[in-house]
Amino acid sequence: MNPFFALVFACIGVTLAEGYILGSLFKSAARQPEIIGQLRSLLILGIAFIEGTFFVTLAMAFVLK
């Protein structure tokens, strides 16, 4: 099996996860606009972890090739 399939699945997972996080952020900001600063820092942290998972998968795809 080609290791680039793992990269494709990681891209799909990253896209879905970031979309879910942004959707949840917008819902939370609409309910309580005064906490947008706290939500923004959590958003950046969450996206950083998700992107980190993607980059690990990218590196492993090139290592396994």
Side-chain angles (χ1 to χ4, degrees), residues 25-40:
L25 174 81
F26 291 146
K27 287 178 186 177
S28 299
R31 289 186 185 134
Q32 292 181 329
E34 64 272 2
I35 63 167
I36 191 69
Q38 295 171 349
L39 293 175
R40 187 179 304 125

Side-chain angles (χ1 to χ4, degrees), residues 18-59:
E18 287 179 357
Y20 181 74
I21 286 177
L22 282 173
S24 298
L25 174 81
F26 291 146
K27 287 178 186 177
S28 299
R31 289 186 185 134
Q32 292 181 329
E34 64 272 2
I35 63 167
I36 191 69
Q38 295 171 349
L39 293 175
R40 187 179 304 125
S41 62
L42 289 174
L43 169 78
I44 292 170
L45 183 65
I47 288 181
F49 282 123
I50 293 169
E51 290 290 332
T53 303
F54 169 72
F55 286 125
V56 167
T57 306
L58 176 66

